[in-house]
Each structure stands twice: as structure tokens, then as C-alpha cells.
Amino acid sequence: MADRHDNHLQGRVSVITGASSGISAATARALAARSARVVLAARNADKLNTLVTEIREAGGTATARITDVTRRDDVEGLVDLAASEYGPVDHLVNNAGLMLFSKWSDRAVDDWDKMIDTNLRGYLHAISAVLPGMIARQSGHILNLSSVAGIRVGDASGVYSATKFFIRGITDSLRQEVGITHGIQVSMISPGVIDTGWAEKVSNTEGKQIAQDLNEGAIHPDRVADAIVYALNQPSDVTVNDIVVHPTRQDW
């Protein structure tokens, strides 16, 4: 019987979107510390380069590509880079996203469009880019970050929650199709309120106040990274389907 502390991450190629900060940056550090080879994607070059340097100085293996997940060719280029640098992609941590709160009556259509482009199209682009290789090898792991907002809709989170319900839907569909047919592991992590600086990105005045109030009880991104590592660090015959991680003192 395999030891429950076996490291199934060693040497694995892990592509992580949204990696310049927050949960994805914490995940990159955690996976690299367990000898995975991480390929980081985000739009902020300075933050990406700083994180790559940090991981390498700690003895890990990392590279990065400036990537806009709303552009399909950008994401295809990211996966091509991973393959050329380290080999076929074993893990996709799909986490590039925007969390912009507003009331429906505010008609914050620009914010809605941004979330649709990033939270929906971005996830689909990344899945599309890694699927052919995973299907050909009959192995791989797709991990989608959703949210407790994809379980229950909160105040001023209508469109954001809708994008997270979408992620739950595509994850269930992937699990049924490529999981059963092609042996690809498919997981979903649904965080509660995490201290990633997201509240400061909300531009809508009323939505920003709601976000700041909600963020007061937030927990550290490392807590979610631990859950991601747990889900990915499983033998190929085991899939962790769904984990919810949220602050103890908040009602999600």
C-alpha cells in the first residue's frame, strides 16, 4: 500500500493561471516546494518575474509567460512554453479571475463584461489548451477554482456568482466526460473570503463597501493553496472532487 505521505507532485509540470498574486502565487510556491515544475501565467510581468526569482532562489523550478487568458492564442502559447521547457502539462490550476461587486440596478455592464471574459472564456481557453495532450496520454489533472459564491449568491455578487456557477457546471461536465472516459482527474476548490486584495479592485462605490466589509474576516491564501496541493497530490486512481474552504467565523 502506498504511503499516504507520498509525493506525487515531484517532477510534475503544473500550469497556474492568475499567478501574479493571491491564491495562485501561494499555490505556485507550495507546488514548487514539493518539486513540481511550475509554469506561471498572468498579465503583470513584474510580479511574475519576482515570483519566479523567489521560487528559483528557494531551490524550485519555475518559469513564466505574460498571458491574457481572454486571448486564446495567449493561452495556447503558455501551454506550448510549458511543453518546450519541461514537457507535457500534468496539472492545470485554472484560477485567473475577477471578483467585481455591484448591484443590478447599477448596470455595471463594463464590470460584467470583464468578468465574463476572464472568468468564463479564460477558463475555457485554458481547458481547451491542455485537453488534447491529456487525452492523448490518458492522464492529467484539471483543477478549477470556483467560489462559495458559486454555491450561494451574496449581496451585490450576482454576475460574479453566475460566473462561478458556470465553473461548477463545466467542472461537473468535464468530470463526467474526460474523467470517466480518459482517466483525467478533475477537481474543484471553492474558497470563501480570502485576503487577496480583491476588495480594492472593486470600482463600483456601493459594491466596494460591501466587499471591504466582507473582507474583514478573510483568511490567508495559503489555506487555499494547502487544499489545492492536497487535491493534486493524489495517485492517478484517486480524484478529490470538491473542497470548500472558508473562514470559520463567516457564514458562507
Side-chain angles (χ1 to χ4, degrees), residues 69-119:
V69 296
T70 70
R71 296 176 55 87
R72 185 169 59 185
D73 56 345
D74 258 20
V75 184
E76 297 283 352
L78 170 69
V79 172
D80 289 344
L81 171 68
S84 64
E85 290 276 336
Y86 302 132
V89 174
D90 297 296
H91 306 143
L92 168 64
V93 179
N94 220 356
N95 189 43
L98 291 174
M99 185 176 181
L100 304 175
F101 280 16
S102 65
K103 298 284 190 178
W104 285 105
S105 56
D106 293 329
R107 300 176 63 239
V109 179
D110 287 344
D111 284 353
W112 302 350
D113 286 344
K114 290 174 185 176
M115 286 190 285
I116 289 168
D117 285 343
T118 302
N119 300 3

Side-chain angles (χ1 to χ4, degrees), residues 23-251:
I23 292 168
S24 288
T27 299
R29 295 185 190 98
L31 291 176
R34 290 160 179 80
S35 301
R37 296 174 287 180
V38 297
V39 182
L40 312 179
R43 292 181 295 180
N44 190 309
D46 290 340
K47 288 184 177 180
L48 275 183
N49 292 334
T50 298
L51 181 57
V52 167
T53 299
E54 176 189 338
I55 289 172
R56 290 175 177 174
E57 288 179 348
T61 303
T63 191
R65 185 181 193 275
I66 308 305
T67 305
D68 180 350
V69 296
T70 70
R71 296 176 55 87
R72 185 169 59 185
D73 56 345
D74 258 20
V75 184
E76 297 283 352
L78 170 69
V79 172
D80 289 344
L81 171 68
S84 64
E85 290 276 336
Y86 302 132
V89 174
D90 297 296
H91 306 143
L92 168 64
V93 179
N94 220 356
N95 189 43
L98 291 174
M99 185 176 181
L100 304 175
F101 280 16
S102 65
K103 298 284 190 178
W104 285 105
S105 56
D106 293 329
R107 300 176 63 239
V109 179
D110 287 344
D111 284 353
W112 302 350
D113 286 344
K114 290 174 185 176
M115 286 190 285
I116 289 168
D117 285 343
T118 302
N119 300 3
L120 275 63
R121 293 190 178 93
Y123 272 57
L124 294 176
H125 291 163
I127 292 166
S128 173
V130 301
L131 263 184
M134 290 184 177
I135 290 174
R137 298 190 309 277
Q138 296 287 288
S139 69
H141 200 143
I142 296 171
L143 189 149
N144 291 327
L145 269 293
S146 183
S147 170
V148 297
I151 300 171
R152 191 178 74 182
V153 180
D155 191 22
S157 72
V159 176
Y160 174 72
S161 289
T163 68
K164 294 303 180 178
F165 275 94
F166 173 88
I167 291 168
R168 178 170 291 274
I170 62 172
T171 302
D172 286 347
S173 178
L174 278 168
R175 189 178 293 129
Q176 293 172 27
E177 183 180 331
V178 302
I180 293 172
T181 306
H182 300 289
I184 296 169
Q185 294 157 290
V186 181
S187 302
M188 183 171 65
I189 308 290
S190 298
V193 184
I194 311 299
D195 187 13
T196 62
W198 66 274
E200 300 308 314
K201 298 176 183 177
V202 178
S203 58
N204 177 268
T205 303
E206 188 175 2
K208 189 179 190 72
Q209 186 59 57
I210 292 170
Q212 289 173 336
D213 292 344
L214 187 61
N215 200 53
E216 287 183 0
I219 57 178
H220 197 274
D222 286 349
R223 304 294 183 262
V224 184
D226 289 343
I228 293 170
V229 168
Y230 172 76
L232 293 179
N233 190 28
Q234 300 296 326
S236 60
D237 60 345
V238 174
T239 295
V240 176
N241 285 347
D242 196 351
I243 299 176
V244 177
V245 182
H246 67 93
T248 301
R249 293 184 179 273
Q250 283 189 343
D251 177 16

Side-chain angles (χ1 to χ4, degrees), residues 7-30:
N7 182 11
H8 300 284
L9 300 171
Q10 186 166 4
R12 300 295 187 183
V13 180
S14 302
V15 168
I16 306 171
T17 66
S20 59
S21 62
I23 292 168
S24 288
T27 299
R29 295 185 190 98

